[in-house]
Amino acid sequence: MPPHGRWRFSGLVILLSTVALLLSTASAASAVLGIDLGTEYIKAALVKPGIPLEIVLTKDSKRKEAAAIAFKPLRSQSSTSNSVIFPERLYGGDALAVSARFPGDVYSNLKPLLGLTVAGNSAVADFGSWHPGLKIVDSKGRGTVSFRSQSFEGTEEPFTVEELLGMELQNIRANAEAFAGKDSNIRDVVISIPVFYTAEEKRAVEAAAELAGLRLLSLTSDGLSIGLNYATSRTFPIVKEGVKPEYHLIYDMGAGSTTATVLRFQGKNVKDVGKFNKTIQEVQVMGVGWDKTLGGDALNALILEDMISKFAETPRLKTLGADSTHIKQDGRTVAKLWKEAERMRQVLSANTETSSSFEGLFYEDVNFKYKLSRTEFEKFAARHTDRIHVPITQAMSAAKLDLSDIESIILHGGAVRTPFVQKELESAAGSSEKVRTNVNSDEAAVFGAAFKAAGISPNFRVKEIRASDSAGHATGVSWLLEGKERHQKLFQPTSHVGAEKQVPFKATQDFAFDLYQQILVGAEGTKDVPVLKVQTQNLTASVKELTEKFGCSVGDISTSFSIRLSSLDGLPEATRGSVSCEVVDAKKGDFVDNVKGLFGFGSGSKKGDQEPLVDGSNAGTTSHVAETTSPVSSSATPEPKPTDMKGNDKTKDKKKIEIIYIGFTTNATGLPQISLSEMQRMKERMASFDASDRSRRLREEALNTLEAYTYKARDLIGDEGFVAASTETQRSEIEEKFKSASDWLYGDGADASREELKSRLKELRDLVDPISKRKEEALKRPGDVKMLKDTLEQTNGLIKMVREQSEKAAKAAAAASASSFSAAADAKPTPETTSLVDDDFAGLDDEPSSTSIASSSTTNTPEAPLYSPEDLADLSRTHESVQKWLDEKLTAQEKLSPFEDPVILVSDLAAKSKELNKVVMDVLQKKIQIPPKVKSSSKSKTSKAKSSKKTKTTSSLSSSPTSISSTSSTTESDVPTETEVTTGEDLVEDEIKGEIKDEL
């Protein structure tokens, strides 16, 4: 069994290793992600220990990823072994780069299609006109937007918008994990979305996040995210008497939509730990407004329309008999024009005019030149001028403020850089000074989302900013009562997320009610869209229990539900339901019982009064189950009067509230949700895509390796060393094989599978590697042989030195033994010194005389030999073994030709050198010992006092810091100090090394 100390050390090591592992795992798991889900671009920011707040870079080191994904068709089916052939997926800029080549498989700007049905939707129709190459179909059983890919056969299921967006988010997650470092696993995310998103759109985003393997912490509006980023670097005044909060308006115009958000910023003193107070910052959404279709894409469409009309007027198109309708139906032509229209709009933000040239338009037969000035563009956009003001008006009206109350209008989004948009905003604000660009117009939203994610996560401590988002849409409840539908509005569009209300119902039997959102339709119309259906389970039984067990009348029973705006997505949810009534407590107690009841220790609460909750949930639904036995009183018993405590008969009956909680189930309503089986199918298809992409990357690596090897072999054939290590026949075979491989590689091999590429590479290496190895061996062998011979010579010198040292030590030991025997024979007893002191001191111990100490210290002890006979035997045996092996191998190697495999390898020479060096170092090091320190005795002071008159003490011999401060009475010539002993042995070691060096 190992010593106790060793076990303790091992346990400590295991504990520290475990802690380090847990810390590293926690560090990897504590990372959070903020995502700005834009129409044209998706941006992400990472928060991780060591990375406070950083933008996640794409694989091309860009700070934003185009919101696009493409399926690049395969040229051959041999590149993968799967039964279903999956095309290559491209993301971001790579996807947009192939939009003209594969217009039917490039999916960009999908965000406006989330939660929309195909039938009768103008937004879907507009998207289809901008991307005619895409084949839009409705999802089976749901009616939402899906796409049928041209890279698959007709039997393959179409791709939903949620699945395509999930792939894009999965790519963002992969970029974040690569940015965070090795072994990072990022799951927690906060996604910033437009404030006007309905339940259908929010659920589509949640489904996409789930498909991407992300755990959604919260959905936050773009305006609040920008406000959070604005507040992180600022401190706002504490609202007191005469001090007002700051109001700012966030105007965000992106590629797909425009929103306006009024925010209130203020400081606030709140109670901290103990008796201390602290100041926090508050950001609250006061009002919102939006235009769902006003953005960069709408402006791009204006330029696209003008391009198509002018292209249709060219003589070549007229000769072909084509008009604008034919052009809009050609996917490749529209893809090229759309891409260039976006570029020209961005150029016109800085320049007054721009132009573009096209080649091979309309079935690759027509060239076209187009020129546009800023003035012409603004004439096209004049129809949208009034729309710029609408979101501002809506937001100010909802906040019940005037523009004069606003400190500034903060701009965000790419389209706000358009000159005529900024002019209209300055006109609406009344002054250009109020229109500010004091936040990053591209990244403020994503930074705010990441800040909120860090605040939600328990692993980070951030600046305390309490943010309150708004519902965006009014929320109500509807139910049937006596055959009539009842409605009640619960929350306003400006109600803050997390707000909760108690809703009473006049129902005593099981019933169902619907929670709905009130969606704006047109300019002023609204539409009630159901969101959640709640069905009670035990209401009838609970009412019966109240009437029979507690004597409640049906008319006195109250039914209520708690409805809350979820902090996750802002949608209404039912958190709790109950039935209750007021009853008389018939129990009467004495004074002690009344006092106990006053402080909550009464006997009214017995052990069996409260039973566990009964699970009444149904499969596939969310269930909240209530008590089915005795309820718990929610009201305090009235304080007893003095007369009550005395047991007066006039005491009035006490009343209490009996409550029974209601079990209920919830089901999402509105558009049909993605079923569990459908979700699983999508996940499996995405996993197959991942496996296909991984297999494709490995195949490309094998292809590149084979191609590089063919170039390397061409250089080897002409190398002088390679020629010497091979025969003419071998070189001819290699040259023929590599020529064949090169021709195959640029022919049929371009579509070969990974296994076939690896087989070809192995075939070539089997020919080249043996020759290359002989070449390297012939090049390195002479030097390594010389090194081994030198080592053998050094070892031989060490053997001679050790043998001489052993002989000297033996002679010295014999001489010392003879001298000691002679000295013992001549020794005579020495009479004791007569005491000159009075007998009163006779009982005290005397110090040993200096004469006896001196005589004992002069005895010569022979020095122990440094090396043992075993050391000499080990050195000799290893030296002879290695020398014999080397002589045999060199003799056999001299008989071989240069093109034959060597019998002595460089690795063997290195192993023998290592074996020899190990024995030498073991012999040199294991005999180097440092003697223990000389300890001072309790009598050293007396000895020092007696000997100071005769000799110089050891303490004066050295001023070194390592010298011993308390010494014995021996002289310098008798016993050396610790420093002198160590130095002496160091000199011995140096002498040995010097002798070895001289010998060699």
Side-chain angles (χ1 to χ4, degrees):
M1 180 176 178
H4 179 66
R6 184 173 302 174
W7 278 112
R8 195 165 50 179
F9 174 77
S10 301
L12 180 61
V13 170
I14 294 174
L15 176 62
L16 293 176
S17 302
T18 306
V19 171
L21 178 62
L22 292 176
L23 288 176
S24 62
T25 305
S27 176
S30 63
V32 293
L33 199 62
I35 295 179
D36 177 15
L37 188 62
T39 301
E40 186 177 6
Y41 292 99
I42 300 178
K43 295 171 281 291
L46 178 69
V47 181
K48 179 179 182 274
I51 304 177
L53 194 61
E54 284 290 339
I55 289 290
V56 175
L57 302 180
T58 68
K59 66 183 184 68
D60 299 325
S61 299
K62 295 180 179 179
R63 296 178 69 85
K64 56 184 178 181
E65 185 83 277
I69 181 174
F71 298 152
K72 186 178 179 181
L74 301 176
R75 293 189 298 175
S76 171
Q77 296 186 2
S78 60
S79 60
T80 179
S81 59
N82 297 335
S83 57
V84 178
I85 307 304
F86 290 93
E88 180 181 1
R89 289 183 297 183
L90 303 176
Y91 297 97
D94 294 339
L96 296 177
V98 299
S99 59
R101 293 176 56 196
F102 310 107
D105 270 319
V106 178
Y107 310 94
S108 61
N109 298 18
L110 299 175
K111 179 182 171 182
L113 303 180
L114 289 170
L116 300 184
T117 56
V118 176
N121 200 304
S122 60
V124 178
D126 291 341
F127 185 89
S129 65
W130 297 341
H131 305 86
L134 298 176
K135 188 175 181 180
I136 300 177
V137 297
D138 57 348
S139 301
K140 185 187 301 182
R142 299 181 62 225
T144 55
V145 179
S146 294
F147 298 93
R148 191 170 295 282
S149 171
Q150 298 179 6
S151 299
F152 292 88
E153 298 179 357
T155 57
E156 183 68 18
E157 291 289 337
F159 291 84
T160 64
V161 177
E162 292 88 345
E163 186 175 2
L164 295 173
L165 181 59
M167 292 183 184
E168 294 180 22
L169 293 178
Q170 188 182 48
N171 176 60
I172 294 294
R173 179 188 177 189
N175 292 339
E177 290 177 346
F179 183 75
K182 187 179 179 182
D183 299 329
S184 295
N185 182 21
I186 300 174
R187 294 188 64 246
D188 295 339
V189 64
V190 168
I191 300 179
S192 179
I193 59 174
V195 69
F196 56 77
Y197 264 19
T198 63
E200 310 298 347
E201 293 159 309
K202 291 180 178 180
R203 287 168 179 168
V205 174
E206 292 172 3
E210 181 181 350
L211 288 171
L214 295 171
R215 185 169 72 96
L216 191 63
L217 298 178
S218 176
L219 293 176
T220 180
S221 66
D222 293 332
L224 181 61
S225 298
I226 299 166
L228 278 172
N229 178 248
Y230 181 79
T232 51
S233 58
R234 293 170 174 84
T235 301
F236 303 99
I238 300 175
V239 177
K240 296 180 180 179
E241 186 176 352
V243 180
K244 295 182 179 180
E246 292 185 13
Y247 293 95
H248 297 268
L249 187 141
I250 308 296
Y251 193 86
D252 183 13
M253 179 181 282
S257 61
T258 299
T259 60
T261 307
V262 177
L263 298 176
R264 180 173 68 185
F265 298 88
Q266 65 182 22
K268 187 177 181 180
N269 287 328
V270 297
K271 188 171 180 60
D272 200 0
V273 180
K275 299 181 180 180
F276 300 96
N277 293 333
K278 63 180 178 180
T279 302
I280 63 169
Q281 307 300 311
E282 287 187 339
V283 182
Q284 296 180 354
V285 176
M286 305 302 296
V288 293
W290 61 77
D291 189 324
K292 290 186 176 182
T293 59
L294 178 62
D297 284 351
L299 301 179
N300 296 341
L302 300 175
I303 301 177
L304 178 66
E305 290 289 341
D306 188 58
M307 279 183 173
I308 292 175
S309 62
K310 289 184 178 180
F311 182 47
E313 295 174 359
T314 58
R316 179 60 177 165
L317 263 293
K318 290 182 178 180
T319 302
L320 296 174
D323 57 11
S324 299
T325 304
H326 296 94
I327 297 172
K328 291 179 180 179
Q329 293 175 352
D330 183 24
R332 283 191 173 91
T333 300
V334 175
K336 289 181 179 180
L337 295 177
W338 177 267
K339 184 178 180 181
E340 196 61 22
E342 181 180 357
R343 186 195 68 83
M344 295 181 74
R345 177 183 64 82
Q346 294 173 352
V347 171
L348 289 175
S349 297
N351 301 330
T352 56
E353 63 179 15
T354 182
S355 61
S356 183
S357 298
F358 302 90
E359 295 181 356
L361 292 179
F362 201 67
Y363 303 106
E364 303 181 0
D365 196 26
V366 183
N367 298 334
F368 174 57
K369 291 185 178 180
Y370 179 75
K371 185 177 181 180
L372 182 66
S373 66
R374 183 189 293 177
T375 303
E376 293 174 325
F377 170 65
E378 291 181 351
K379 288 181 180 179
F380 302 152
R383 70 184 79 169
H384 298 319
T385 301
D386 294 337
R387 298 174 63 184
I388 297 174
H389 300 264
V390 174
I392 299 177
T393 304
Q394 293 175 346
M396 299 307 299
S397 175
K400 299 179 181 180
L401 295 173
D402 191 76
L403 278 173
S404 59
D405 300 321
I406 300 298
E407 298 283 338
S408 67
I409 298 178
I410 301 173
L411 303 183
H412 189 270
V416 295
R417 300 185 182 96
T418 308
F420 86 92
V421 174
Q422 292 191 355
K423 289 180 182 178
E424 292 298 324
L425 291 176
E426 292 174 0
S427 174
S431 171
S432 60
E433 296 180 355
K434 274 194 173 184
V435 180
R436 300 176 185 173
T437 57
N438 46 6
V439 299
N440 188 325
S441 60
D442 287 327
E443 300 174 353
V446 68
F447 279 134
F451 180 86
K452 184 172 183 177
I456 295 175
S457 173
N459 301 308
F460 300 96
R461 185 176 181 180
V462 298
K463 178 181 178 180
E464 190 166 356
I465 301 176
R466 296 184 181 178
S468 300
D469 211 340
S470 68
H473 299 281
T475 302
V477 59
S478 65
W479 71 99
L480 288 176
L481 180 63
E482 298 177 354
K484 295 183 179 180
E485 188 173 8
R486 307 290 182 175
H487 290 266
Q488 180 180 344
K489 182 174 280 190
L490 300 179
F491 300 102
Q492 300 294 332
T494 54
S495 297
H496 291 156
V497 170
E500 187 171 354
K501 283 189 176 182
Q502 292 288 334
V503 183
F505 294 92
K506 292 183 178 180
T508 56
Q509 294 183 349
D510 286 315
F511 75 109
F513 61 89
D514 292 310
L515 299 174
Y516 62 85
Q517 283 185 326
Q518 202 169 65
I519 308 300
L520 293 176
V521 179
E524 297 180 356
T526 59
K527 178 182 178 182
D528 294 344
V529 179
V531 175
L532 193 71
K533 188 177 188 64
V534 180
Q535 174 67 54
T536 64
Q537 289 184 319
N538 63 331
L539 176 59
T540 303
S542 300
V543 171
K544 183 178 180 181
E545 182 179 356
L546 288 177
T547 56
E548 294 181 354
K549 185 176 181 180
F550 299 100
C552 298
S553 63
V554 175
D556 294 335
I557 295 176
S558 300
T559 304
S560 64
F561 274 83
S562 297
I563 309 298
R564 181 179 61 190
L565 293 176
S566 171
S567 58
L568 174 66
D569 51 18
L571 299 180
E573 60 180 358
T575 60
R576 187 174 60 180
S578 64
V579 289
S580 61
C581 71
E582 187 180 66
V583 298
V584 176
D585 188 3
K587 297 179 181 179
K588 295 182 180 180
D590 56 10
F591 177 81
V592 176
D593 291 335
N594 289 334
V595 173
K596 287 183 178 181
L598 178 64
F599 291 97
F601 299 103
S603 60
S605 178
K606 296 182 180 179
K607 184 176 181 181
D609 284 350
Q610 192 168 357
E611 297 289 342
L613 297 181
V614 179
D615 190 358
S617 60
N618 296 327
T621 61
T622 304
S623 178
H624 301 258
V625 184
E627 297 181 31
T628 58
T629 56
S630 298
V632 180
S633 175
S634 63
S635 60
T637 304
E639 182 179 354
K641 298 180 181 179
T643 56
D644 296 341
M645 295 181 180
K646 295 178 181 179
N648 197 325
D649 294 337
K650 297 181 180 180
T651 302
K652 295 182 179 180
D653 293 335
K654 296 180 292 183
K655 294 184 178 181
K656 66 178 182 179
I657 305 296
E658 294 291 346
I659 300 175
I660 299 178
Y661 292 107
I662 303 173
F664 59 91
T665 60
T666 60
N667 290 288
T669 53
L671 288 177
Q673 301 302 302
I674 302 176
S675 63
L676 295 178
S677 60
E678 186 70 7
M679 184 70 74
Q680 184 63 29
R681 183 192 63 79
M682 293 180 186
K683 291 180 179 180
E684 290 175 356
R685 182 160 65 176
M686 290 178 64
S688 299
F689 261 110
D690 295 339
S692 177
D693 290 342
R694 185 165 51 252
S695 176
R696 187 176 296 106
R697 286 193 297 269
L698 295 175
R699 178 197 170 275
E700 290 173 355
E701 291 176 4
L703 178 64
N704 294 335
T705 303
L706 178 59
E707 186 178 11
Y709 200 73
T710 57
Y711 287 112
K712 177 183 177 181
R714 295 172 187 174
D715 299 333
L716 285 175
I717 292 176
D719 184 74
E720 182 178 351
F722 191 85
V723 171
S726 60
T727 63
E728 182 64 30
T729 304
Q730 290 174 332
R731 291 193 298 273
S732 299
E733 183 182 3
I734 291 173
E735 189 172 3
E736 181 181 352
K737 287 285 186 182
F738 271 88
K739 184 178 183 304
S740 174
S742 181
D743 295 340
W744 174 82
L745 192 59
Y746 296 105
D748 298 336
D751 297 325
S753 65
R754 179 189 172 214
E755 290 73 17
E756 192 172 357
L757 292 171
K758 291 174 64 177
S759 176
R760 287 272 184 168
L761 182 61
K762 183 179 182 303
E763 183 180 353
L764 297 178
R765 279 181 169 169
D766 289 343
L767 294 175
V768 174
D769 287 355
I771 302 175
S772 298
K773 186 176 181 180
R774 289 198 295 269
K775 173 193 168 185
E776 294 177 2
E777 291 287 338
L779 183 64
K780 297 180 180 179
R781 189 185 306 116
D784 288 2
V785 169
K786 184 178 182 303
M787 289 178 59
L788 182 57
K789 288 181 177 181
D790 293 344
T791 305
L792 286 168
E793 292 179 4
Q794 295 173 8
T795 307
N796 189 36
L798 178 61
I799 291 172
K800 294 179 180 179
M801 186 271 294
V802 171
R803 185 177 291 115
E804 292 177 359
Q805 290 287 338
S806 300
E807 293 174 356
K808 289 180 181 180
K811 293 179 180 179
S817 177
S819 175
S820 175
F821 178 78
S822 176
D826 296 338
K828 294 181 180 180
T830 303
E832 294 184 1
T833 306
T834 305
S835 176
L836 301 180
V837 192
D838 193 17
D839 290 341
D840 294 338
F841 299 93
L844 298 178
D845 294 336
D846 292 334
E847 293 288 346
S849 63
S850 60
T851 305
S852 62
I853 296 176
S855 62
S856 63
S857 64
T858 56
T859 304
N860 293 326
T861 303
E863 184 179 357
L866 292 176
Y867 303 102
S868 65
E870 289 79 8
D871 297 334
L872 183 60
D874 289 342
L875 284 171
S876 302
R877 183 170 56 254
T878 306
H879 178 271
E880 292 174 1
S881 173
V882 174
Q883 184 68 59
K884 180 180 178 182
W885 176 86
L886 181 61
D887 294 340
E888 292 176 353
K889 292 294 183 180
L890 289 178
T891 303
Q893 183 64 38
E894 291 174 356
K895 299 178 182 180
L896 299 177
S897 301
F899 51 82
E900 293 181 311
D901 291 337
V903 296
I904 180 171
L905 302 177
V906 172
S907 58
D908 296 336
L909 293 170
K912 292 298 180 181
S913 296
K914 184 178 180 180
E915 177 185 354
L916 202 57
N917 288 329
K918 183 178 182 303
V919 175
V920 171
M921 294 307 298
D922 289 345
V923 170
L924 288 177
Q925 292 181 0
K926 75 178 182 179
K927 290 302 180 180
I928 300 177
Q929 299 177 353
I930 300 177
K933 294 183 180 180
V934 180
K935 298 182 180 179
S936 59
S937 64
S938 60
K939 303 176 182 180
S940 59
K941 293 183 179 180
T942 307
S943 300
K944 180 178 178 180
K946 293 181 180 180
S947 61
S948 60
K949 298 179 181 180
K950 298 180 180 180
T951 60
K952 188 176 183 179
T953 60
T954 311
S955 60
S956 63
L957 296 179
S958 174
S959 61
S960 170
T962 58
S963 59
I964 301 175
S965 57
S966 180
T967 62
S968 64
S969 61
T970 53
T971 62
E972 180 181 1
S973 59
D974 295 330
V975 180
T977 64
E978 180 184 4
T979 304
E980 292 169 331
V981 171
T982 304
T983 306
E985 187 158 316
D986 290 340
L987 292 175
V988 172
E989 183 180 357
D990 293 340
E991 181 182 357
I992 294 173
K993 294 180 179 179
E995 291 180 4
I996 296 174
K997 184 175 180 182
D998 294 340
E999 186 70 25
L1000 297 178

